[in-house]
Amino acid sequence: MTNKLIHNISSYTLTLAEERLLYRDWNFCVKQKLTKIEDFKTDMELNVMRLERQCHLSIFATICRHMHDYSNKFIKNIRDEEFAAIKYLKNKPNITISRIDKEPTTTTSTTTTSTTTSTTTTSTTTTTSRTTSTTTSTTTSTTTTSTTTTTTTTTTTTTTITTGCGLSSQSTWSQTATTIFGSQAGAYGSNLTLLSSPIGMYYNQPKNMLMVVDNGNYRVLQISLNNTPAVATVIAGSNGQGCNMNQFNVADGIGFDSSGQLYVADYGCNRIVRFPSNSNSTTSGTLLGSITRASLLSINPLTGDIYVVSSVNNAIYKFVNGTGSPVVAAGGNGNGSALNQLLIPNGVYYDYLYTNALYVVDTGNNRVMKFPSNSTNATYGTMVAGGNGAGNETNQLNYPRSIIVDSSGTLYIADASNSRIQRWLQNATSGTTIVGGTRGTASNQLSWPEQILFDRYQNLLVVDRDNNRIQRFNLTTC
């Protein structure tokens, strides 16, 4: 099945097994875990029509062939942890897994109860007749009925985990952007609505929050995208320039691990600093490790591995499981253009969702390199974009800065000197410009784009560094 991007807009935190299942588009649950081919055959015979409808004919034929070839062997169609995870998700009554692109669903039900109350009022009327000596007393009983309506409103919030619109080679974005933070006109500043030379960026999808390295103000800001423009809060730094553990010199890249800890690459202090979750300007971090001229970083949340660029050492370092001394994951063989060398690299992206590969923005060589997940300094990479000298042609890049990868292996590259964002399809020899292309402060222009990300709706977020702003280009076509 085609992998989808998971939008968890609930307060429930998915386990890694649950994430893997949803990325694989598992939105159903098998009744029991199958361990023998006989069980699988029985289950398949009962559901053969459903399989034929939902599976491509070649896949269906493969299943049938495997049933025949391996009838005496054991199979294990799902891991223990995955079976437990999907069973748990299905049995949670307040979790809905669906292919929609909406906010959490709130269902309001109204119950009306009619209560009839009978009240009996007794009055006595005495009638006196002058013609007789008899006094007749008549008692009249009056019954008053009142109806009281009681309305009970019950609000039920259903947690919805949505799989959003998947990107394709035909996806398009608006050519005019909305400034979601910073100055629309490109002015810099130090209050909590402005930026000064922003660089790194991280997007928290469940909370729809953006974290930005405000380099010129020596701080990291957190910005809510639920109501923009917003006033930011400081989550690290903002204590002047320096190398104390509550300061930054030249902060560059940021990332968060699965427990919510913040990591900041401080280029000026040659270090990676870790901050606890819910940190603020008064919080002092702890030193994870020293990296000469640390630039952007990328974290694999499934393993905790942290990849950091060293632009001076022309290498990508990896902190295995987020601890210990860093090891070289790519490059580290001097500066050069060989496939095991890098030249002033700036960006790194580990794609744990789709390709399980390490991508390096080799800035000085104006190219993007791809390395396998277990690469070392001895590994030769594959050039997947650029590499044709600096320039603005479709097969060229000019001082690229960062990269992201979608489910089909398509690359999206921040091409800084060309003030554009390039889309490079898998195995393509040239790219196309999806936004930008001219330098300036207008809403359709960029000036030295640094880091790029997609939000939960696949809108493109761009750190427009020299314009001191964050731009959002809305998705117009999936």
Side-chain angles (χ1 to χ4, degrees):
M1 296 181 181
T2 303
N3 287 320
K4 301 290 184 181
L5 180 62
I6 300 306
H7 299 294
N8 184 357
I9 54 176
S10 70
S11 59
Y12 174 74
T13 302
L14 292 168
T15 66
L16 296 182
E18 290 165 353
E19 276 194 11
R20 284 199 299 268
L21 289 164
L22 293 175
Y23 284 127
R24 287 158 52 186
D25 202 18
W26 281 60
N27 59 356
F28 62 91
C29 183
V30 293
K31 293 183 179 179
Q32 61 182 3
K33 182 177 176 182
L34 304 179
T35 57
K36 293 184 178 181
I37 192 67
E38 288 78 10
D39 297 332
F40 183 69
K41 286 173 65 176
T42 300
D43 188 68
M44 187 167 140
E45 287 165 0
L46 293 173
N47 296 280
V48 63
M49 296 303 293
R50 179 172 178 267
L51 283 167
E52 283 187 305
R53 287 197 307 270
Q54 295 190 356
C55 294
H56 189 276
L57 288 178
S58 62
I59 297 175
F60 185 73
T62 301
I63 293 173
C64 293
R65 186 176 66 253
H66 281 210
M67 285 178 59
H68 181 269
D69 294 344
Y70 300 101
S71 59
N72 295 320
K73 296 185 178 181
F74 290 91
I75 65 167
K76 195 171 184 179
N77 65 319
I78 186 170
R79 297 177 183 173
D80 291 330
E81 61 180 34
E82 292 176 334
F83 178 73
I86 201 163
K87 184 176 181 182
Y88 175 81
L89 281 178
K90 184 183 178 184
N91 291 337
K92 289 285 285 186
N94 61 335
I95 290 181
T96 301
I97 305 171
S98 59
R99 292 185 182 88
I100 56 175
D101 195 13
K102 299 179 180 179
E103 297 297 325
T105 303
T106 300
T107 304
T108 303
S109 60
T110 303
T111 303
T112 303
T113 304
S114 297
T115 304
T116 302
T117 305
S118 297
T119 305
T120 302
T121 304
T122 302
S123 59
T124 302
T125 304
T126 303
T127 304
T128 303
S129 175
R130 294 187 179 188
T131 58
T132 63
S133 58
T134 303
T135 301
T136 303
S137 297
T138 304
T139 301
T140 303
S141 179
T142 304
T143 301
T144 303
T145 302
S146 62
T147 301
T148 302
T149 302
T150 303
T151 301
T152 303
T153 302
T154 303
T155 301
T156 304
T157 300
T158 302
T159 300
T160 304
I161 302 170
T162 68
T163 56
C165 166
L167 298 180
S168 71
S169 61
Q170 305 302 313
S171 296
T172 60
W173 289 263
S174 171
Q175 295 304 295
T176 57
T178 301
T179 300
I180 58 175
F181 195 79
S183 168
Q184 184 176 356
Y188 68 90
S190 59
N191 65 37
L192 292 176
T193 63
L194 295 174
L195 296 166
S196 177
S197 192
I199 302 180
M201 175 172 63
Y202 178 89
Y203 177 63
N204 183 319
Q205 187 186 96
K207 296 182 179 179
N208 200 28
M209 301 281 274
L210 197 64
M211 276 59 75
V212 179
V213 173
D214 189 11
N215 174 53
N217 289 315
Y218 316 108
R219 65 190 182 185
V220 178
L221 299 179
Q222 178 174 277
I223 305 153
S224 173
L225 300 186
N226 294 317
N227 295 293
T228 58
V231 175
T233 57
V234 178
I235 59 174
S238 197
N239 297 298
Q241 185 176 18
C243 290
N244 292 324
M245 298 310 290
N246 65 344
Q247 293 179 306
F248 301 117
N249 190 310
V250 181
D252 202 315
I254 58 169
F256 286 79
D257 64 18
S258 58
S259 63
Q261 295 183 109
L262 165 67
Y263 296 81
V264 182
D266 192 343
Y267 182 96
C269 295
N270 303 305
R271 66 186 183 180
I272 306 299
V273 184
R274 176 172 51 211
F275 293 86
S277 59
N278 301 317
S279 61
N280 55 47
S281 62
T282 66
T283 307
S284 292
T286 57
L287 181 67
L288 174 66
S290 297
I291 299 290
T292 304
R293 293 296 184 252
S295 301
L296 294 185
L297 59 84
S298 179
I299 299 177
N300 179 356
L302 301 181
T303 63
D305 295 339
I306 301 172
Y307 298 86
V308 185
V309 176
S310 172
S311 59
V312 169
N313 291 340
N314 301 295
I316 307 301
Y317 289 96
K318 177 169 71 170
F319 291 89
V320 180
N321 302 130
T323 61
S325 299
V327 297
V328 176
N333 299 298
N335 63 63
S337 59
L339 296 180
N340 66 340
Q341 291 181 308
L342 302 170
L343 179 61
I344 320 174
N346 184 78
V348 62
Y349 182 81
Y350 186 81
D351 178 26
Y352 68 96
L353 296 179
Y354 309 115
T355 61
N356 291 315
L358 178 68
Y359 295 83
V360 179
V361 179
D362 190 9
T363 302
N365 284 317
N366 296 294
R367 66 185 184 182
V368 176
M369 299 294 294
K370 178 182 179 181
F371 295 87
S373 59
N374 60 349
S375 64
T376 67
N377 67 324
T379 305
Y380 285 75
T382 303
M383 187 168 61
V384 291
N388 296 300
N392 61 3
E393 298 297 328
T394 58
N395 68 339
Q396 293 179 307
L397 300 169
N398 195 351
Y399 226 74
R401 306 297 287 168
S402 65
I403 184 176
I404 49 177
V405 184
D406 71 12
S407 60
S408 61
T410 298
L411 313 179
Y412 300 83
I413 306 164
D415 191 11
S417 263
N418 287 323
S419 302
R420 66 188 184 182
I421 309 302
Q422 293 294 94
R423 172 171 56 200
W424 212 287
L425 301 180
Q426 195 169 28
N427 302 319
T429 57
S430 62
T432 56
T433 301
I434 57 172
V435 297
T438 59
R439 185 183 181 93
T441 60
S443 61
N444 65 337
Q445 295 178 311
L446 298 168
S447 184
W448 202 264
E450 276 282 357
Q451 191 148 20
I452 54 176
L453 295 170
F454 290 116
D455 68 11
R456 62 167 66 155
Y457 306 113
Q458 309 289 28
N459 301 316
L460 179 64
L461 308 180
V462 181
V463 175
D464 193 9
R465 179 173 178 172
D466 285 355
N467 282 330
N468 305 294
R469 65 190 184 184
I470 310 297
Q471 299 290 83
R472 182 181 68 211
F473 295 87
N474 290 332
L475 180 70
T476 54
T477 305
C478 289

